[in-house]
Amino acid sequence: MSTLLDIQDLRLSFKGLRGITDVLHGISLSIAAGERVALVGESGSGKSVIARIVLGLLQETRSARVSGKVGFDGAEINTMRPRDRAKLRGTEMSMIFQDPTSSLNPTFTIGNQFAEVMRRRDPKLSRAACDARAIEMLTEVSIPNPDRILENYPFQLSGGMNQRVMIAMALVNHPKLLLADEPGTALDVSVQAQTLRLMHDLVEKHGTAVLFISHNLGVVREFADRVYVIYRGNIVEEGPTASVFHNPGHAYTRALMDAVPRITGAGLPEVPEVSDAFLAPMVRHDRGAA
Amino acid sequence: MSLLTVDNLSKSFSVAGGMVHAVRDISFAVERGECLAVVGESGSGKTTLANMLLGILSPTSGSIRFDGTELPAKRRASHRRAIQFVQQNPLSSLNAKRSIGASVRLGLDTYQIGERAQRWAKVEDALEEVGLPREMRHRAPSALSGGQRQRVGIARALACDPELVVLDEPTSALDVLVQARVLRLLNDLRTRKKLTYIFITHDLAVVRNVADRVAVFKSGQLVELGETAQIFTAPKHPYTRSLIGAVPVVDDAELDLRNRLAKGT
């Protein structure tokens, strides 16, 4: 498998009123074409900024300093011209956000928003062609009466429906990489489970690589082939999902796993306070081990 | 005698185009010292029920009895003090313009608890009880982390010396490590202060480990009520089974159990 996303020694700091804050301390992460990779960590660990760097958004923020290598499909995102980076967004890579209802534009119909996305790849596309393709995508995410949905505004649909619309929209241009930041966290568990299964099948069918950002270990276990665990701007553990879950090697990963309440009812775990062991060097699992 | 008895409770709202029946004909009782979990999806009526218990909404029909007396639509201060509330989002539930201490003290002043001169000490005791430093009463909510804010929310409720605490998704906004600590704290406080909890949540894995009994809500109706151990070994209602079937799990023992329960065998 060829490497699609290749991040090497990525560092990020923000310049603020109280001097410079380091956020990422040399992150290396790679995703092969068609691979589903999860990035797990607590809030503030730096997981969402990685997605924003891959999209090329933080490089354009004046207070942010980004260094290191972000290779995408043979090109280097960090040194690219802003115009070229903008061209990649929505075409070669796309993003799904946590709350679907607030990330769709409330003033345009679903059909309008689909057309806008599709014309990023092909500006000359007719509205009829856009609608036809949108209906095809909406059918793939099991939305009933897709032709009617195109006339609707986001607020007329339920959260679960909007999430499916977002997934369809993110995949309509056949991106090579999908960035999913806590998808479905705002939804009910059963709706979340459904949409994740749907997204899983869809990216598998289209061969889309996914960077799946989440704090929910259970969801990650079901979705990803490989896992990175991030703690305070450092990757602390990396490996195939089964291997990391069966045999967590890093103190922080173990603490995370222990802290998750189980439906088998082992009681509430004693959670260690933040310890120096959490800052121990990264643990890497061999490929194919489980 | 049960601490709380709810009989044939209903609440309807009239909206454009008809009526919404948010809670329909619900009856259950909560025993002193137990933790009853209320689970269900959004829109199932969990929060409407909580608001009726707290006296924020008045029921359309039915009755709520607390400690043997029926609660009127307009609550007396003693009842408001005895039934306290811990909210989901600790940032938006604390007044940003007030110090932590002032927020915690508000209940003490409202219900005239203790001597005026001793109230700041009581506030600091309450903070200490939830594992926060006493001097934190001078800080603003914005200076605290999410876990600390939720502890303040708990301290605020407990400072009023309640008998029943209604917790609405108290840990859903927190990271797993923080969540685990706050859940332990809630458990310890319940035993230590002999509290009764109504724990509203959508997270069944949390429910399994904190609740004595579980009430499952669907579209405003109570579809299953039982001991936690029984719900997680032999759920009876298909909806309960489907809820358990959707729980994201992290280990193989859980996966086995979940798949077995979801299938209903």
Side-chain angles (χ1 to χ4, degrees):
Chain A
M1 271 196 287
S2 64
T3 306
L4 176 69
L5 181 72
D6 182 25
I7 300 178
Q8 295 290 339
D9 196 34
L10 180 66
R11 286 163 196 278
L12 166 72
S13 54
F14 283 108
K15 223 169 69 184
L17 293 171
R18 277 169 290 178
I20 290 169
T21 317
D22 291 319
V23 179
L24 299 176
H25 312 270
I27 297 266
S28 297
L29 178 154
S30 68
I31 302 179
E35 195 185 18
R36 290 180 298 269
V37 171
L39 184 59
V40 200
E42 290 175 85
S43 52
S45 59
K47 52 191 196 306
S48 293
V49 285
I50 294 179
R52 298 182 67 83
I53 290 173
V54 173
L55 282 170
L57 294 172
L58 269 180
Q59 288 87 336
E60 281 152 42
T61 308
R62 276 171 73 196
S63 59
R65 297 273 174 284
V66 182
S67 73
K69 186 172 160 274
V70 183
F72 175 74
D73 204 15
E76 172 53 50
I77 303 264
N78 272 349
T79 54
M80 222 179 242
R81 283 187 308 171
R83 267 180 56 195
D84 295 334
R85 278 202 289 254
K87 266 189 211 150
L88 291 177
R89 295 197 282 268
T91 57
E92 297 299 318
M93 52 171 91
S94 59
M95 177 122 183
I96 298 176
F97 297 92
Q98 185 179 115
D99 179 5
T101 308
S102 64
S103 36
L104 290 166
N105 190 329
T107 60
F108 290 103
T109 61
I110 302 293
N112 252 320
Q113 295 185 58
F114 259 106
E116 189 190 339
V117 171
M118 273 180 266
R119 284 172 182 153
R120 282 186 68 80
R121 190 177 286 280
D122 182 1
K124 293 196 192 69
L125 217 54
S126 74
R127 181 58 194 262
C130 287
D131 284 355
R133 175 87 185 98
I135 287 172
E136 212 176 285
M137 273 318 284
L138 290 173
T139 314
E140 276 198 66
V141 293
S142 318
I143 285 187
N145 308 324
D147 41 333
R148 268 215 350 251
I149 296 288
L150 287 184
E151 316 274 302
N152 282 145
Y153 290 90
F155 67 85
Q156 292 170 306
L157 307 175
S158 69
M161 279 293 188
N162 276 325
Q163 183 80 51
R164 290 179 191 206
V165 168
M166 282 267 293
I167 294 171
M169 220 176 263
L171 293 175
V172 73
N173 282 336
H174 296 295
K176 295 194 174 89
L177 177 67
L178 178 66
L179 300 152
D181 193 355
E182 305 266 7
T185 310
L187 304 174
D188 277 325
V189 265
S190 46
V191 182
Q192 184 186 27
Q194 260 170 27
T195 43
L196 285 175
R197 213 166 300 138
L198 201 111
M199 194 168 114
H200 183 282
D201 295 348
L202 212 55
V203 292
E204 197 157 51
K205 183 175 153 201
H206 290 267
T208 317
V210 183
L211 177 62
F212 187 91
I213 297 171
S214 182
H215 69 279
N216 189 327
L217 290 165
V219 166
V220 163
R221 184 184 197 258
E222 264 158 57
F223 188 83
D225 305 321
R226 205 150 56 80
V227 182
Y228 287 88
V229 182
I230 184 170
Y231 176 64
R232 293 203 185 167
N234 286 299
I235 301 285
V236 295
E237 185 152 0
E238 180 268 329
T241 308
S243 175
V244 171
F245 275 83
H246 282 134
N247 205 359
H250 196 278
Y252 176 70
T253 316
R254 280 200 297 268
L256 271 189
M257 300 269 185
D258 289 345
V260 179
R262 310 291 156 109
I263 56 166
T264 39
L268 295 170
E270 189 90 55
V271 181
E273 291 302 309
V274 174
S275 74
D276 289 344
F278 288 2
L279 302 170
M282 179 178 170
V283 177
R284 235 175 235 287
H285 294 246
D286 290 335
R287 301 280 165 105
Chain B
M1 183 179 49
S2 307
L3 179 65
L4 183 86
T5 316
V6 170
D7 277 314
N8 305 100
L9 194 68
S10 297
K11 178 74 191 175
S12 313
F13 298 100
S14 56
V15 291
M19 296 288 277
V20 173
H21 304 286
V23 169
R24 313 175 194 209
D25 198 21
I26 281 171
S27 303
F28 65 89
V30 185
E31 303 308 320
R32 230 172 254 282
E34 82 165 332
C35 175
L36 174 75
V38 173
V39 301
E41 305 196 308
S42 51
S44 62
K46 305 190 296 276
T47 304
T48 307
L49 173 70
N51 285 341
M52 285 193 283
L53 297 179
L54 293 163
I56 298 168
L57 288 174
S58 47
T60 309
S61 63
S63 74
I64 303 169
R65 294 170 72 82
F66 182 77
D67 209 5
T69 48
E70 183 162 347
L71 293 177
K74 185 122 175 57
R75 298 279 167 93
R76 277 200 305 275
S78 64
H79 283 137
R80 279 185 282 134
R81 183 193 59 75
I83 307 178
Q84 287 292 322
F85 187 39
V86 174
Q87 274 138 311
Q88 172 172 18
N89 187 333
L91 183 58
S92 62
S93 56
L94 288 170
N95 187 334
K97 296 279 173 69
R98 247 187 217 133
S99 71
I100 294 302
S103 282
V104 175
R105 184 176 163 137
L106 203 61
L108 300 180
D109 288 337
T110 310
Y111 304 123
Q112 301 289 314
I113 298 171
E115 291 293 312
R116 184 180 282 268
Q118 261 97 62
R119 286 196 191 134
W120 282 123
K122 260 192 97 88
V123 166
E124 290 181 358
D125 289 347
L127 290 176
E128 203 163 48
E129 202 144 39
V130 297
L132 295 173
R134 298 181 79 89
E135 58 278 10
M136 194 164 263
R137 79 168 167 94
H138 301 289
R139 309 282 287 277
S142 57
L144 272 59
S145 69
Q148 288 173 327
R149 283 183 201 130
Q150 196 54 285
R151 283 169 196 263
V152 172
I154 296 166
R156 191 206 55 74
L158 296 194
C160 301
D161 209 7
E163 288 173 68
L164 175 69
V165 185
V166 179
L167 303 123
D168 191 0
E169 305 268 7
T171 60
S172 342
L174 306 175
D175 281 323
V176 274
L177 288 174
V178 185
Q179 166 176 283
R181 289 190 197 111
V182 172
L183 288 175
R184 279 188 78 93
L185 171 73
L186 285 170
N187 252 3
D188 292 347
L189 288 170
R190 177 161 69 100
T191 8
R192 198 140 43 87
K193 310 195 81 168
K194 300 190 172 56
L195 297 167
T196 307
Y197 285 170
I198 292 183
F199 197 109
I200 300 174
T201 182
H202 68 274
D203 190 334
L204 286 164
V206 167
V207 168
R208 176 68 184 94
N209 294 289
V210 301
D212 300 312
R213 286 193 303 149
V214 186
V216 184
F217 277 66
K218 180 177 191 280
S219 327
Q221 279 166 317
L222 183 59
V223 297
E224 185 159 3
L225 175 65
E227 304 277 328
T228 306
Q230 179 257 314
I231 297 272
F232 285 87
T233 46
K236 291 201 179 75
H237 198 279
Y239 180 69
T240 312
R241 285 204 291 272
S242 81
L243 274 186
I244 295 176
V247 177
V249 295
V250 296
D251 67 35
D252 293 345
E254 278 191 291
L255 187 67
D256 281 354
L257 176 69
R258 183 189 79 179
N259 291 346
R260 215 159 19 123
L261 296 184
K263 272 200 296 254
T265 51

